Amino acid sequence: MTKPSARIKRFLGNISFVVLLNLLVKPGWVVLENVVQDRVGHEQFGTFTALLTLATIMAGISDLGTTQLTTKRLAAAPSFFSDFFPTLLPLRAGLGVGFLLLTVAVGWVLGYRGHWLLLLAITAAGLLLTQYTLFLRGVLQAHQRFTADAVLSVLERLLLLGLVLALLPLGLSLDAFVGARTVAVLFTFLLLAGLIRRLYGRVALRPRWSQARQVLLDSLPLAFITLVYGLNERIDMLMLERLVSAREASYYAAAYRWVDAVMMYLWTVLPLFFARFAHATGRRQEQQELLWFGQRVVTVPLLLVAGFGLFRGELLFFQFKHSTPAELLRMTQCLQVLFLNVLVHAFFAIYSTLLTSTDHEKPVSWLVTGSIVLNTGLNFLLMPRYGALAGAFNTLLCAVLVSVGYVWLVPRRTGVQLPLAALGKLAVAFAGLCGGWYLLQAYAALPWWLETVVAGVWLLVLIFGLGIVQVAELKALRARKQPAA
C-alpha cells in the first residue's frame, strides 16, 4: 500500500477528532437513556419510542434531500452560499412547519390521541429543528470546517446528558424527558445559527420561486434516498408498537439504542467522506485513494465492537434493574442480531456514500426501496409471531441484500475499483477474532473486561499480521510535515 498523502493525513486528523468527541459523549448518553427507560417503564417508553420513530421518519423526509445537495454544491462551488441561501433558509423553514403539521396528522390517523398526540407534536418539532441544524452544519462540512462541525455534532447530546442527570434526583417523568430534549435542540440550533452568521455574514432572506423550484428538482433523487433510508432504518419499532405491543417495541428499542450508538461512528465519519468524495468529483484517482483509505477507517474499529456485541452483549443492559430475566434475554438476542447488521454496514456503507456523492442516487434509492418493501412484508408476516426478534432478523437480511447491490454498482457507475484484497483480509480478521473470542470463553474463564482486552490485542495482531494496516503507514502519518521549498 502507498504512503498516505498530505490531504489524507489531514483528513484522518479531522476524523480522529470527530470520533473522539463522540466517544466521550455518546456511550454515556446511551447508558442514561437506558436508565430513563428503566425508570419510566417498558410500556410507556415503548409507546414513546414509536412516536419518536414516526417523528424521526417525517423529519428526515422534510429535508427533501436539500442538506446533501447543499453540501455537494458548496463543496464544488463556494459561491452557492451567497447565490442560493437567501432562498434556501426560508424554504427549509417552510418545509419544517409543513411537515410538523403533517406528522401530527399521520399520528392521528395511526390512532394516537390526547396527551400522546401532544408529545408527538413536541418531539417532532424538536427533531425538525435538529434537521435544520444538520442542514446548517452542511455549510461547515462543505467548507471543510470539520473541527467546528465535530463540536456541534456532540453538543446537543452533551447538553441533554446534563439536563437528564439533573432531573434524575427529582424524579424523572416522560414529559420532563421530552422537555429536556427540546431545550437541548433549541440551544444547539441558536448557537449554530450565530456561528454561521459570524463566519459568513448575515444572509438577507430573499426567496425566489425559480431558485426554490430548481433546488427541489435537483434534490429530488436525494430526497427519495432520505425517505427510503429513514423508513428502512426506523420502521420496525413503529410496526412493533402498532402490530404487537409497546413492550416488544421497547425491547427492540433498548437493543437498537446501542446499535445506534455504534452506528454514530459511521454517521459521523461518512458525511466527512461524502464531502470529500463530492470535492473530488471528476478526479477518479483521488476518489480511489479515498475509498481504499476509507474502507479501513470505517471497518476496522467496528470489528471489535461487533465481536463484543456477539459474545458479551448481555453486559450492555446492566441499567435495567426492573426487568425480568426473560426480558433481558430478549433484548440481548435482538442486540446480537442487530450487531451483525452493524458489521454489514461497517463493510459496505461507504460504497453508498461514494455513489450518492457522485450523482448516482437513483440506483441506490431503488435498492433501498426494494429493501423496504421486503422488510415491511416480512414484518407483517413474522412480527405477530416472533415480535422484536423478527424485526432484528428482517433488518439484517435487508442490509445484506442492499450491500450486495452497492458492491455491484460502484465499479460500474463510478469507475472506482473495489478494495477486494482489503475486504477479504478484513473478513478473515473478523473470523479470526470470533474464533479467538470463542476459545477465550470456552477455556480461559477470564473476567469480561480482561477477556475483552485480550480479544482486542488479538485483533490488533490480526490487523497487522494480515497487512490491513502497516507500521510504515503509521510512521508516515506521524511524520511532521516538511516546510515548503
Side-chain angles (χ1 to χ4, degrees):
M1 296 183 181
T2 59
K3 291 184 178 181
S5 65
R7 61 175 176 268
I8 289 293
K9 288 196 285 185
R10 289 194 300 271
F11 191 43
L12 181 60
N14 293 326
I15 292 173
S16 301
F17 183 65
V18 172
V19 172
L20 176 61
L21 287 178
N22 278 274
L23 282 175
L24 292 174
V25 175
K26 186 66 176 181
W29 165 247
V30 173
V31 170
L32 194 63
E33 196 168 32
N34 282 347
V35 172
V36 173
Q37 180 173 342
D38 185 56
R39 294 280 185 92
V40 172
H42 288 297
E43 194 73 33
Q44 273 204 342
F45 206 88
T47 305
F48 170 71
T49 296
L51 296 178
L52 181 63
T53 300
L54 174 60
T56 301
I57 292 172
M58 298 302 290
I61 300 172
S62 74
D63 176 72
L64 293 182
T66 53
T67 296
Q68 285 184 303
L69 178 70
T70 300
T71 302
K72 286 173 61 176
R73 294 289 174 83
L74 280 172
S79 61
F80 183 81
F81 181 85
S82 57
D83 293 340
F84 278 81
F85 263 64
T87 296
L88 273 171
L89 292 178
L91 173 65
R92 284 303 311 272
L95 289 172
V97 173
F99 271 90
L100 175 59
L101 299 176
L102 181 60
T103 302
V104 175
V106 171
W108 189 87
V109 170
L110 290 176
Y112 297 107
R113 297 290 186 274
H115 188 65
W116 287 118
L117 199 62
L118 176 62
L119 284 182
L120 173 62
I122 296 172
T123 303
L127 286 173
L128 286 164
L129 202 56
T130 297
Q131 200 67 40
Y132 202 98
T133 302
L134 290 174
F135 166 69
L136 293 179
R137 281 175 52 198
V139 178
L140 301 178
Q141 294 170 4
H143 287 91
Q144 315 299 302
R145 294 181 181 271
F146 296 121
T147 301
D149 178 62
V151 174
L152 288 163
S153 71
V154 300
L155 180 60
E156 179 186 329
R157 291 293 185 188
L158 188 61
L159 290 172
L160 189 51
L161 190 67
L163 289 172
V164 174
L165 280 173
L167 288 171
L168 280 176
L170 304 175
L172 183 65
S173 65
L174 185 59
D175 291 352
F177 178 64
V178 172
R181 291 175 64 99
T182 306
V183 170
V185 168
L186 181 60
F187 182 87
T188 304
F189 168 75
L190 293 175
L191 182 64
L192 175 58
L195 178 63
I196 294 292
R197 180 174 179 177
R198 180 179 179 84
L199 290 175
Y200 305 106
R202 183 177 180 179
V203 178
L205 304 183
R206 296 188 303 272
R208 296 167 55 186
W209 169 244
S210 60
Q211 285 188 334
R213 182 174 179 274
Q214 179 184 343
V215 167
L216 292 175
L217 287 175
D218 291 345
S219 66
L220 195 59
L222 292 167
F224 191 57
I225 287 179
T226 303
L227 167 63
V228 295
Y229 265 115
L231 289 172
N232 197 42
E233 290 293 327
R234 301 286 181 176
I235 198 170
D236 292 336
M237 281 180 277
L238 182 59
M239 293 186 72
L240 273 169
E241 195 266 343
R242 293 287 88 183
L243 293 176
V244 188
S245 69
R247 283 187 173 274
E248 285 292 323
S250 74
Y251 303 152
Y252 187 93
Y256 193 87
R257 189 172 300 124
W258 281 110
V259 172
D260 193 44
V262 174
M263 293 285 280
M264 183 59 66
Y265 173 74
L266 290 180
W267 309 145
T268 301
V269 170
L270 289 179
L272 306 185
F273 278 98
F274 182 93
R276 292 298 299 177
F277 282 136
H279 188 64
T281 299
R283 301 191 296 275
R284 186 175 297 174
Q285 182 59 39
E286 185 175 340
Q287 289 179 334
Q288 177 83 69
E289 184 183 28
L290 279 168
L291 178 64
W292 287 43
F293 166 71
Q295 181 71 73
R296 294 177 293 161
V297 169
V298 170
T299 308
V300 169
L302 294 179
L303 297 181
L304 181 63
V305 176
F308 183 87
L310 292 176
F311 288 94
R312 287 292 187 178
E314 73 280 358
L315 296 173
L316 297 176
F317 300 110
F318 66 90
Q319 309 92 343
F320 290 91
K321 307 298 184 184
H322 301 94
S323 297
T324 66
E327 289 176 327
L328 291 171
L329 177 61
R330 177 59 65 93
M331 289 187 280
T332 301
Q333 291 171 337
C334 288
L335 179 87
Q336 290 168 330
V337 177
L338 288 171
F339 264 54
L340 290 176
N341 176 59
V342 169
L343 186 67
V344 173
H345 282 288
F347 273 86
F348 303 110
I350 193 170
Y351 302 133
S352 170
T353 302
L354 173 60
L355 288 165
T356 54
S357 66
T358 52
D359 299 321
H360 299 289
E361 301 92 350
K362 190 174 182 179
V364 174
S365 64
W366 283 116
L367 271 177
V368 184
T369 300
S371 170
I372 292 173
V373 173
L374 176 62
N375 189 31
T376 305
L378 290 174
N379 283 347
F380 276 114
L381 183 65
L382 300 176
M383 273 185 177
R385 182 173 181 181
Y386 299 105
L389 277 176
F393 274 111
N394 296 342
T395 299
L396 173 61
L397 175 62
C398 293
V400 171
L401 294 178
V402 169
S403 297
V404 171
Y406 294 156
V407 170
W408 186 81
L409 281 172
V410 164
R412 288 164 177 79
R413 292 301 182 99
T414 68
V416 175
Q417 296 304 306
L418 298 173
L420 296 177
L423 282 171
K425 290 178 181 179
L426 288 165
V428 171
F430 185 71
L433 172 66
C434 290
W437 214 316
Y438 173 80
L439 293 175
L440 283 172
Q441 288 195 338
Y443 300 107
L446 298 173
W448 71 266
W449 59 270
L450 184 56
E451 177 186 292
T452 304
V453 171
V454 174
V457 172
W458 171 234
L459 178 60
L460 285 176
V461 171
L462 291 170
I463 293 297
F464 285 98
L466 292 169
I468 297 172
V469 177
Q470 298 177 359
V471 176
E473 289 180 294
L474 297 181
K475 289 181 178 179
L477 286 171
R478 293 181 61 185
R480 295 179 179 178
K481 298 177 185 178
Q482 296 298 323

